[in-house]
């Protein structure tokens, strides 16, 4: 840290204290050249991430808003609070990994939906119905059909694997 009096580039820290419950650190310093003492304050620079909504408006990123949406979708479903917290953490990690100052609400919504689909299918449909603003029952049906098709693909893959192992193929016993 450069001395504010003589501008010498090296100083010694002689005292450090936490302020405001550790959000700010106050350091007393002493210049190695002129011996003068001065105080510096350190605080975390908060990243101001803005979410760009579908209509073009911007609002500050709010982790709690994501958590509320996921909790609402998972209401009365067998999804633990820990699983919801993990999902929100994963979405937030994906958002922060973009290293952008602005992120689209679509990116966040898609990240939530992708993870909800694997966590709980009913919660996924609930979230999708709000997020995608289904205009009619046809759009809702498309989402359910997509989910069922994905599930059918997974089940047919499992069936093929167990058939190859000879555990479920009744014809091979005849």
């Amino acid at each position: 840290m450069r001395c504010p009096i003589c501008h010498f580039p090296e100083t010694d820290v002689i005292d450090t204290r936490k302020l405001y419950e550790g959000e700010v650190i106050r350091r007393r310093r002493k210049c190695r050249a002129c011996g003068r003492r001065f105080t510096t304050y350190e605080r975390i620079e908060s990243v101001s991430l803005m979410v760009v909504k579908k209509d073009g408006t911007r609002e500050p990123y709010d982790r709690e808003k994501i958590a509320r949406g996921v909790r609402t979708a998972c209401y009365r479903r067998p999804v633990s609070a820990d699983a919801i917290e993990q999902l929100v953490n994963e979405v937030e990690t994906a958002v922060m990994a973009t290293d952008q100052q602005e992120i689209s609400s679509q990116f966040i919504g898609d990240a939530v939906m992708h993870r909800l689909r694997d966590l709980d299918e009913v919660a996924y449909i609930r979230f999708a119905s709000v997020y995608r603003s289904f205009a009619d029952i046809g759009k809702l049906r498309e989402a359910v059909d997509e989910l069922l098709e994905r599930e059918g693909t997974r089940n047919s893959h499992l069936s093929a694997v167990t058939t190859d192992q000879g555990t479920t193929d009744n014809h091979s016993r005849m």
Side-chain angles (χ1 to χ4, degrees), residues 7-21:
H7 303 289
F8 189 74
E10 295 179 33
T11 60
D12 294 320
V13 175
I14 55 176
D15 184 40
T16 300
R17 296 188 186 207
K18 293 180 182 178
L19 303 175
Y20 308 110
E21 298 177 358

Side-chain angles (χ1 to χ4, degrees), residues 83-102:
I84 292 171
E85 182 66 21
Q86 181 178 348
L87 185 145
V88 174
N89 286 341
E90 289 173 4
V91 170
E92 186 168 61
T93 299
V95 167
M96 296 305 173
T98 65
D99 204 25
Q100 301 290 317
Q101 290 188 340
E102 291 187 343

Side-chain angles (χ1 to χ4, degrees), residues 87 90-91 107-120 124 127 131-132 147 150:
L87 185 145
E90 289 173 4
V91 170
F107 178 89
I108 296 171
D110 290 348
V112 170
M113 284 183 50
H114 174 75
R115 287 161 179 83
L116 263 179
R117 184 173 46 225
D118 295 334
L119 184 64
D120 185 272
Y124 166 78
F127 187 86
Y131 170 63
R132 289 187 180 167
L147 197 60
R150 182 175 170 268

Side-chain angles (χ1 to χ4, degrees), residues 61-68 85 88-89 92:
Y61 170 78
D62 182 6
R63 172 193 169 88
E64 187 54 34
K65 188 171 181 179
I66 297 169
R68 275 192 312 271
E85 182 66 21
V88 174
N89 286 341
E92 186 168 61

Side-chain angles (χ1 to χ4, degrees), residues 80-174:
S80 70
D82 287 341
I84 292 171
E85 182 66 21
Q86 181 178 348
L87 185 145
V88 174
N89 286 341
E90 289 173 4
V91 170
E92 186 168 61
T93 299
V95 167
M96 296 305 173
T98 65
D99 204 25
Q100 301 290 317
Q101 290 188 340
E102 291 187 343
I103 188 115
S104 71
S105 60
Q106 181 179 353
F107 178 89
I108 296 171
D110 290 348
V112 170
M113 284 183 50
H114 174 75
R115 287 161 179 83
L116 263 179
R117 184 173 46 225
D118 295 334
L119 184 64
D120 185 272
E121 293 170 344
V122 172
Y124 166 78
I125 293 297
R126 286 177 177 171
F127 187 86
S129 69
V130 174
Y131 170 63
R132 289 187 180 167
S133 303
F134 292 143
D136 58 29
I137 196 73
K139 294 291 184 185
L140 176 61
R141 178 155 184 112
E142 285 176 23
V144 172
D145 288 345
E146 176 186 315
L147 197 60
L148 290 173
E149 182 179 303
R150 182 175 170 268
E151 187 67 26
T153 304
R154 189 179 336 162
N155 286 342
S156 66
H157 176 69
L158 286 174
S159 177
V161 169
T162 56
T163 301
D164 289 344
Q165 295 172 352
T167 58
T168 61
D169 189 359
N170 291 330
H171 299 293
S172 66
R173 293 186 189 136
M174 290 184 184

